[in-house]
Amino acid sequence: MNAQSDTAWTAQGDFTDISYRTTSDGIALITIERPEKRNAFRPLTSAELAHAFARARHDRNVRVVLLTGRGDAAFCAGADLSVRAGDRAGTDWPEHLSPASVSDVQLAIRRIEKPVIALVSGFAIGGGQVLHQVCDLSIAAEHAQFGQVGPRVGSFDGGYGINLLAKQIGHKRAKEIWFLCRRYTARNALEWGLVNAVVPAEELLDTGVAWARELLQMSPAALRLLKSSVNAEEDGLAGVAQLADDSCQLYYGTSEAAEGAAAFLERRAPDFTGVHAFD
């Protein structure tokens, strides 16, 4: 999907397989830039995506992230099977970039404390479908196609791939998608609850920006804790740990926490009398 919107984007970072752009009002746009491969990811792509999401996570000016693929043919067609996992041959690997797998990218999307919206144009197949599944919201172009290829090519995703899908659309539908490796239209995806909306391809980016700007009007802390609360149920103890960490960040701003820290630094017993939780 090309950035046809009138929104002013500022390119940031030095990437090969992706681009990272931001707006002045707090939106980040991460685009997989491999249209010749239907935006399939190789090890470098995964590493750059993980780096970009980490950058967005720690940038206080960014409050919403959009994820998409270059061109109208594909959001992401999954793994580039012509490149073996972990193979850096023929790649000018940046020294500052740590290796990462697509699982690291999935976790980065889940862990970022900001809403992530997938803008799906064309194919979201295999690992590409899982990428949009782990995003918080998904908007699809009318010509988008979804599906899995795992059992057909000797692969599978037993983590978020099938389990999160089962939570989103039910176990029978999830098994149908994974077992039969068929293709499904954007309308199928909308009816099943796999995406939030379907729009004409030429309106996809503008719609994503409009949704992002609605989110910019919301309480960042409330959105953060809502996301963490859902993840706590879906991600087991790791999700609970994330929710607990978010709760700690709020707690550290209270008078109770300030008294505890001050008492430690002043080498005295804390005085919690008259202190009410979350004052």
Side-chain angles (χ1 to χ4, degrees):
M1 185 197 67
N2 297 306
Q4 77 274 18
S5 170
D6 291 333
T7 303
W9 300 98
T10 300
Q12 298 191 35
D14 183 16
F15 299 102
T16 299
D17 284 10
I18 72 166
S19 62
Y20 182 91
R21 302 180 179 91
T22 58
T23 65
S24 60
D25 59 349
I27 305 170
L29 173 64
I30 299 174
T31 306
I32 304 174
E33 300 276 358
R34 304 191 78 214
E36 74 284 356
K37 294 287 188 176
R38 289 186 172 176
N39 296 318
F41 50 80
R42 56 179 178 168
L44 179 61
T45 320
S46 297
E48 290 189 337
L49 284 171
H51 183 84
F53 274 101
R55 181 172 185 154
R57 181 181 189 183
H58 296 292
D59 185 344
R60 290 181 176 273
N61 294 319
V62 171
R63 289 181 48 199
V64 183
V65 180
L66 304 178
L67 175 64
T68 193
R70 178 76 173 180
D72 293 328
F75 167 74
C76 176
D80 184 347
L81 297 181
S82 68
V83 181
R84 291 180 301 171
D87 187 1
R88 302 188 203 176
T91 300
D92 185 14
W93 196 275
E95 291 185 1
H96 71 279
L97 200 62
S98 299
S101 68
V102 69
S103 295
D104 294 320
V105 179
Q106 295 170 5
L107 287 172
I109 294 172
R110 299 285 288 182
R111 292 293 171 263
I112 186 172
E113 302 90 344
K114 304 166 185 181
V116 180
I117 306 175
L119 305 181
V120 183
S121 184
F123 290 107
I125 302 296
Q129 177 174 284
V130 182
L131 273 185
H132 102 83
Q133 285 172 208
V134 297
C135 293
D136 301 299
L137 301 168
S138 294
I139 304 172
E142 290 174 332
H143 71 293
Q145 292 190 49
F146 302 83
Q148 279 303 332
V149 294
R152 185 172 289 159
V153 299
S155 179
F156 66 95
D157 183 340
Y160 287 122
I162 190 165
N163 286 296
L164 188 58
L165 183 62
K167 285 181 173 292
Q168 291 173 347
I169 66 173
H171 286 79
K172 296 292 187 181
R173 290 291 193 192
K175 289 177 181 177
E176 175 187 329
I177 288 175
W178 271 96
F179 290 6
L180 298 179
C181 298
R182 295 171 177 170
R183 297 289 176 269
Y184 300 87
T185 67
R187 290 296 167 188
N188 292 145
L190 182 62
E191 291 170 3
W192 293 356
L194 187 57
V195 300
N196 299 93
V198 176
V199 300
E202 63 273 14
E203 298 177 13
L204 186 58
L205 181 56
D206 286 334
T207 303
V209 170
W211 282 43
R213 286 186 170 143
E214 280 192 64
L215 290 168
L216 292 176
Q217 305 305 310
M218 308 300 175
S219 159
L223 293 176
R224 172 175 179 162
L225 289 169
L226 284 168
K227 178 170 181 172
S228 293
S229 297
V230 172
N231 288 354
E233 190 276 330
E234 293 177 341
D235 291 357
L237 189 56
V240 173
Q242 180 68 41
L243 179 60
D245 181 69
D246 288 347
S247 300
C248 277
Q249 300 307 312
L250 291 176
Y251 170 73
Y252 292 149
T254 66
S255 58
E256 182 176 337
E259 167 60 16
F264 175 81
L265 293 173
E266 295 166 9
R267 298 186 179 184
R268 60 174 174 81
D271 180 9
F272 292 126
T273 46
V275 174
H276 299 284
F278 298 107
D279 276 353

